[in-house]
Each structure stands twice: as structure tokens, then as C-alpha cells.
Amino acid sequence: MKKLVVLSGAGISAESGIKTFRDSDGLWEGHDITEVATPEGFARNPQLVLDFYNLRRKQLQEVQPNTAHHILKKLEENFDVVIITQNVDDLHERSGSSKVIHLHGELLKAKSSGNESYEVEWSSDITLQHTCPDNHQMRPAIVWFGEAVPKIENAITELKNADYVLVIGTSLQVYPAAGLIDYAPDHATKFYIDKNPSKEAVHFKNLSVIAKSASEGLRILYPILLSEKDNTK
């Protein structure tokens, strides 16, 4: 099978009712990003940060995958699909997608604040009473601003071997994720689905832009991809 690498962002989750990362005023659910998405914010006020992600975790369990997630799963019938997502939700997995790389961590996991190798599944609230076996405070398994992105090398490897690349629901402006498309081979066929496509898109070779929502765009792209596959046999 030809390899289809998908770079997904907040726009695909928004259709399921999950708010995009930042509102137009730069705040996330009323909070300054530095308060709830940095190691320094966690050090200053761990209770605030834990409460913030506990609420996000509860909200996640109230939503469902949407049409876009389901179409990406269906594409596995014809392509080797690898999804590289900036999203911390599990909607790709819940729709049945089998290969998902979470660049920015996962909301349904927790890790030790003092031992990076200790990470566990976690679906309930994290409190100040929760510690790892080494007695370090547990924290959300989220990659915060200023922290390394441990899975970026895995993502780069997948992009380098892509036959098709689909960028969906992302502004192409948050690094290092935004730079990943640069690793795709020049010959790879590239598609970009977003309601408000980034002006940066004009700089990429072999890139077709579909200025639609994630679900609308994938309904349009699905038959195009199948036709492309048949024409390359």
C-alpha cells in the first residue's frame, strides 16, 4: 500500500465540540497560556493546572469522533495511513485509526513530574495527592510550551517515506509541528484542508488546497485519493 501521512490539528477536533487551542484573544478557556501550558505555570500553581486539565479530560469523555475521523479510518482500507496529530484527545483512536502519533501528548495519560519514563493511562482527575512510585507529583502527559517534543523524530521518519501527505485542521504556524511537511519528499502528492488556509501553503510543492471544514474537505478528497491510487497502479 502507498503511505498516506496525515498531519492533523485542532480544526478536526473542533467539529466534535472540542474548543480550538486558543481563542482570538490568545486565551485558552479564559486562561493565559503561560498559566496552564508551561512547566513554570505548573510550578507556580499546580492546583490550577491540574484543575484545568481535569476539566478538559471530563469534556473529552462527553464528545464523539466526527465524520472526518471516520473517513480517515476508512482510508486504511486503501492506504498505509499514519496520523501525526497535534491534538491531545483520543478521537482518532476512538474512530478506529490504528497508527496515531501524538506530538503534544495525550489527555488520557498522566506522567511523573520527576521521572519522564513513568507514564500511565489515566481517565479520572489528577490531584495533588497523586504521586509516582518515586514520590514525585503526577501531572498531565502533555507537552507544554518550552518542553521537548519526544516523538518528533518518529514523525519526521514517517514524513520522509510518504507518498501522500494530508494536512488537515491546522494553521501550519505552531512549531515544530508546522515544519514537518518540509520533510515530505518533493514527489509526494500533498493536500491541505482548512476553512482558513494558511498563506504559507503557497510555498509547498505539489500542494492542493481545499478551503473547507475537516469533514467537508475529506468528503471531497476521499474519491480523489482513491482515483490517485488507481492511476498509480
Side-chain angles (χ1 to χ4, degrees), residues 33-54:
I33 298 301
T34 59
E35 293 178 357
V36 295
T38 63
E40 294 80 11
F42 186 61
R44 281 193 302 269
N45 194 340
Q47 186 67 65
L48 172 68
V49 176
L50 294 179
D51 288 345
F52 179 83
Y53 287 97
N54 288 341

Side-chain angles (χ1 to χ4, degrees), residues 48-75:
L48 172 68
V49 176
L50 294 179
D51 288 345
F52 179 83
Y53 287 97
N54 288 341
L55 183 55
R56 306 280 83 68
R57 201 175 296 107
K58 285 177 182 172
Q59 290 175 340
L60 174 56
Q61 295 174 58
E62 295 169 358
V63 301
Q64 300 296 328
N66 59 60
T67 298
H69 294 105
H70 293 307
I71 293 176
L72 289 178
K73 159 59 181 170
K74 189 170 177 58
L75 282 166

Side-chain angles (χ1 to χ4, degrees), residues 204-231:
F204 298 109
K205 293 181 180 178
N206 300 333
L207 180 70
S208 301
V209 178
I210 302 174
K212 298 286 185 181
S213 69
S215 292
E216 289 178 302
L218 271 168
R219 287 193 190 99
I220 293 168
L221 181 60
Y222 182 78
I224 295 172
L225 278 171
L226 294 191
S227 175
E228 283 261 350
K229 178 183 75 76
D230 291 340
N231 289 337

